[in-house]
Amino acid sequence: MEQILAQFDKITLEEMSGIRLMNRIDTKFVTTMPVLERLLQMALEDYMAQEIDGQRNMRYSTTYYDTTDYDMFYTHQHGHAGRQKLRFRTYVSSNLQFMEVKTKNNHGRTKKKRMKVEDMDLGDKEKLDFLAQHLRYGVDTLIPAIHNSFDRITLVNKAKTERLTIDTNLQFHNLVTGQDRKMSPLVIVELKRDGLCYSPVLEMLRMLRVFPHGFSKYCMGSALTNHHLKVNRMKPKLIDVAKILAAAQQ
């Protein structure tokens, strides 16, 4: 895969600054490594690969918070509008960390607010002010719930109207139960774009018979590593993911 990735024209982190898509529509797809290699070959002419310090496949680390009664988890499962997530994301390659609040509205759009931080201490004034402005949950109700890590490739179409993230080598560690789960054969592709602009990769995915499939890393990781949670609404997705993993391991 690294050989294919090296063939893409590059886009720098500075050039990416104009393609932030902070108010966007996200569409996710779930597939496997062999399909990803075919997709990358098909995308060579239409996409550029983000490169930072010579790297095009970078490690990310994320810690999600939830309430003690897992309200964020259950609100997501019920598909409620205005649902939120709070996370700390570390961009390992660039040594940057952000606290982020994501809110999904009833039009399917995701709005993300974030601030650069040095740690995950929720008690300092700057973080408290930020959370009071953007998060509807009280800080005293929150606990660190789950940690994940993965490798990410970021592609940008040459028209610079969309961003495609490709996550591999996904791993979970539950901070409440202590359970771990490795999902290395799985590939999570996410198309991020403002509005309904033309997307070259959508046709490529259709040709590969890869169709939209919801996959929340927070919810999926929680369901797989915390058996005390009620996951009835997630069972179809859990079954689908199990089938994809089984097919990848054959």
Side-chain angles (χ1 to χ4, degrees), residues 42-57:
M42 295 169 70
L44 271 171
E45 296 301 318
D46 294 296
Y47 288 83
M48 302 174 286
Q50 177 181 284
E51 181 175 303
I52 300 175
D53 296 330
Q55 297 184 59
R56 298 188 175 193
N57 192 10

Side-chain angles (χ1 to χ4, degrees), residues 103-119:
T103 303
K104 192 161 190 175
N105 66 22
N106 58 356
H107 300 294
R109 286 187 175 270
T110 299
K111 291 187 177 181
K112 182 169 70 175
K113 300 293 183 181
R114 71 179 187 175
M115 64 175 287
K116 187 177 178 182
V117 297
E118 300 296 328
D119 55 50

Side-chain angles (χ1 to χ4, degrees), residues 1-5 8 29-44 56-57 151-155 164-170 184-190 201 204-205 208-210 244 248:
M1 186 176 71
E2 298 300 327
Q3 291 181 339
I4 302 172
L5 199 56
F8 281 84
F29 306 82
V30 181
T31 186
T32 60
M33 292 298 293
V35 176
L36 172 59
E37 292 184 3
R38 294 170 61 192
L39 177 64
L40 290 175
Q41 289 281 13
M42 295 169 70
L44 271 171
R56 298 188 175 193
N57 192 10
D151 297 324
R152 171 166 288 184
I153 298 165
T154 301
L155 302 182
L164 190 72
T165 59
I166 302 167
D167 297 341
T168 61
N169 195 24
L170 176 60
S184 298
L186 214 63
V187 176
I188 312 301
V189 178
E190 186 168 9
V201 79
M204 299 173 196
L205 288 164
L208 293 170
R209 300 191 61 79
V210 178
I244 294 169

Side-chain angles (χ1 to χ4, degrees), residues 161-192:
T161 58
E162 67 181 28
R163 184 168 72 244
L164 190 72
T165 59
I166 302 167
D167 297 341
T168 61
N169 195 24
L170 176 60
Q171 301 178 44
F172 297 109
H173 172 67
N174 195 296
L175 297 167
V176 176
T177 67
Q179 292 189 28
D180 296 302
R181 183 68 181 264
K182 293 184 178 181
M183 312 281 285
S184 298
L186 214 63
V187 176
I188 312 301
V189 178
E190 186 168 9
L191 175 61
K192 307 175 183 184

Side-chain angles (χ1 to χ4, degrees), residues 9-16 19 48-52 56 154-157 160:
D9 293 338
K10 76 173 182 180
I11 183 169
T12 66
L13 187 61
E14 291 74 22
E15 292 171 324
M16 286 285 291
I19 319 170
M48 302 174 286
Q50 177 181 284
E51 181 175 303
I52 300 175
R56 298 188 175 193
T154 301
L155 302 182
V156 177
N157 68 329
K160 297 184 178 180

Side-chain angles (χ1 to χ4, degrees), residues 65 86 88 99 119-124 127-128 131 139 142:
Y65 279 64
L86 170 64
F88 286 84
M99 180 172 69
D119 55 50
M120 291 189 288
D121 178 12
L122 293 180
D124 67 70
K127 292 193 190 78
L128 288 171
L131 292 174
V139 171
L142 303 175

